[in-house]
Amino acid sequence: MNPAGFGAPFLAVLFLLAAALRSLPLAGARLQVAMTVVRNASSVGAFCLDGSLPAYHLDRGFGAGAGNWLLQFEGGGWCNDVESCLERAKTRRGSTQLMNKWEDFNGILSNNASLNPDFYNWNRVKLRYCDGASFGGDALFHNGTSPLYFKGQKIWESIILDLLPKGLGTANKALLSGCSAGGLATFLHCEDFTNYLPRDATVKCLSDAGFFLDLQDIGSTHTMRGFFKDLVALQGMNPNLNENCTAASSNLPDLCIFPQHALKYIATPFFILNSAYDVYQFHHGLVPPSADIHGRWKHCKMNPAACSKQQIQQLQGLRSSMLSALKLFYQYSSKGGMFINSCFAHCQSESQNTWFAKGSPTIDNKTIAGTVGDWYFNRRNIKEIDCAYPCDSTCHNLIP
């Protein structure tokens, strides 16, 4: 039959249906999103370590989520001395020119309702990480030939300014999130983020594996404190730390880079997603190489089941330190949410296996995605804390 016989109205409906079908994500389809370089970033002094321009990846929202925005800071460690920053500037961690120009969007960034039920149709943005200081520095180092740009704060500002006219400036709902060093960036920029958005917008923040602890290692040394102190000094981060925290900690203002010291000064609703046995903090904070020169923790680090009773006891101390640092937030934050599980993991929101999938980690039969969604949309007030290792049987997608 000739479709022209149905007339213009039918053809118009057919065209709209075809367009709608094209906009729907296919189940199991791999979503790759192209890089957008912030071309006018130089006007605000925003550069990656090597002087290249900052960038992000944006996948547009659709349907009921077209007016909502999710921004995800990319993670990837830090550089806290000139030598390591010079090396970093020659890699994808310090230059957008060396990055993949397409990024996979999984987990909280997925556009598939069956894989990301609460945020799949939002505008989802991944902010590329190229400054080495959790988007928090503002300094410049000249070594004679190749300068190092410590401009994370400016990178953050340039990306936001680029997104505002693209719809972020009129957002109805927004969630600022990040993983690892990006999770720390969420603590640093949560309050600032709200200032860019409409007053009637619902704005909240989520840190995944970003609750880095100010704790002593097994050698009774504050290894992480020393590392972050050098980071703050080198990259000029002090002015960009929470000003209320630094005012109250005038003797040691650089400690405000630690979320446990800054959290009480963040008024925006906040969700903390973290493993109580975060593998980065286990390997670099509790048992850094400098505290284990004989390698007694080698097998334990590879497999917790190989840990001795004494090592397990020290790992339980790591969990206790985290819960102690979160105690006031747990007790008194009516707008805050938590999911502190006992899997040996680091970053769980960007991986589909841990965010929302068959066999993903749960607490009280609740997935991470379900818990975050319930908190964001006020379906219930959630602060979930898992029992201590090795009681959780849902960690099979991770280290046993």
Side-chain angles (χ1 to χ4, degrees):
M1 182 179 294
N2 185 353
F6 287 96
F10 174 81
L11 291 177
V13 171
L14 192 64
F15 175 81
L16 291 173
L17 177 61
L21 289 173
R22 284 195 300 271
S23 71
L24 293 175
L26 298 175
R30 182 181 179 187
L31 175 62
Q32 288 197 309
V33 181
M35 175 185 284
T36 298
V37 176
V38 184
R39 298 296 177 188
N40 63 346
S42 58
S43 65
V44 295
F47 301 99
C48 299
L49 282 172
D50 72 331
S52 58
L53 295 175
Y56 60 86
H57 300 254
L58 164 63
D59 191 49
R60 284 289 188 178
F62 54 92
N68 303 332
W69 287 76
L70 188 155
L71 275 62
Q72 177 88 345
F73 285 115
E74 183 179 26
W78 310 271
C79 61
N80 72 336
D81 57 43
V82 171
E83 183 179 3
S84 63
C85 289
L86 285 171
E87 286 302 313
R88 189 180 180 97
K90 302 172 186 176
T91 73
R92 66 183 180 90
R93 296 299 186 193
S95 173
T96 51
Q97 293 181 351
L98 301 175
M99 292 178 179
N100 292 332
K101 301 306 184 284
W102 294 81
E103 275 290 294
D104 287 332
F105 272 30
N106 300 302
I108 196 171
L109 295 174
S110 173
N111 67 340
N112 190 320
S114 65
L115 302 176
N116 186 25
D118 283 306
F119 306 106
Y120 73 98
N121 60 354
W122 286 30
N123 297 283
R124 285 152 292 107
V125 187
K126 186 169 188 176
L127 285 67
R128 299 309 300 267
Y129 183 35
C130 64
D131 65 279
S134 291
F135 296 82
D138 191 3
L140 180 64
F141 173 80
H142 287 281
N143 69 340
T145 55
S146 301
L148 283 171
Y149 296 88
F150 300 133
K151 295 294 180 179
Q153 176 70 26
K154 296 299 183 182
I155 290 172
W156 156 250
E157 293 171 3
S158 72
I159 293 177
I160 290 295
L161 292 175
D162 204 61
L163 291 172
L164 288 175
K166 295 181 178 181
L168 179 62
T170 56
N172 300 316
K173 294 180 174 64
L175 177 63
L176 181 66
S177 65
C179 158
S180 189
L184 180 59
T186 307
F187 285 103
L188 297 179
H189 294 295
C190 182
E191 294 291 83
D192 186 39
F193 184 52
T194 63
N195 296 328
Y196 287 103
L197 302 180
R199 288 189 176 183
D200 59 349
T202 300
V203 184
K204 300 186 179 184
C205 300
L206 159 69
S207 171
D208 175 11
F211 197 77
F212 294 97
L213 292 168
D214 178 19
L215 82 166
Q216 289 185 333
D217 61 32
I218 58 170
S220 300
T221 300
H222 282 93
T223 298
M224 288 300 292
R225 181 185 291 188
F227 181 92
F228 278 139
K229 180 178 181 180
D230 291 343
L231 176 68
V232 169
L234 176 71
Q235 296 226 21
M237 295 180 70
N238 251 322
N240 301 319
L241 300 178
N242 186 290
E243 60 182 12
N244 292 321
C245 179
T246 55
S249 309
S250 55
N251 292 332
L252 293 169
D254 44 47
L255 290 184
C256 291
I257 193 174
F258 286 100
Q260 69 194 78
H261 300 306
L263 182 58
K264 64 183 177 181
Y265 301 102
I266 299 176
T268 305
F270 212 105
F271 191 99
I272 298 172
L273 165 60
N274 232 97
S275 166
Y277 307 95
D278 180 275
V279 291
Y280 182 90
Q281 298 198 61
F282 170 17
H283 293 182
H284 299 278
L286 180 66
V287 192
S290 60
D292 185 35
I293 57 176
H294 300 295
R296 295 189 177 96
W297 284 77
K298 178 181 177 181
H299 297 296
C300 178
K301 283 184 174 182
M302 293 174 63
N303 180 8
C307 298
S308 67
K309 288 184 179 179
Q310 182 181 8
Q311 287 170 332
I312 289 293
Q313 192 173 34
Q314 288 173 295
L315 284 169
Q316 302 300 12
L318 173 64
R319 176 179 182 268
S320 296
S321 295
M322 181 166 291
L323 297 185
S324 177
L326 288 167
K327 184 177 181 180
L328 292 179
F329 181 76
Y330 179 85
Q331 291 179 332
Y332 299 115
S333 176
S334 60
K335 297 180 292 184
M338 291 169 53
F339 191 100
I340 310 297
N341 64 358
S342 293
C343 303
F344 282 78
H346 184 67
C347 290
Q348 301 178 82
S349 63
E350 291 182 349
S351 169
Q352 198 61 59
N353 284 339
T354 48
W355 175 249
F356 190 70
K358 183 179 181 180
S360 60
T362 61
I363 302 178
D364 295 332
N365 296 315
K366 203 67 177 165
T367 62
I368 295 172
T371 305
V372 172
D374 283 350
W375 164 77
Y376 186 91
F377 291 100
N378 299 318
R379 294 191 288 255
R380 65 185 181 118
N381 188 21
I382 299 178
K383 292 191 178 75
E384 299 281 8
I385 299 178
D386 209 353
C387 51
Y389 174 82
C391 74
D392 192 331
S393 63
T394 70
C395 297
H396 40 264
N397 280 326
L398 305 165
I399 300 173

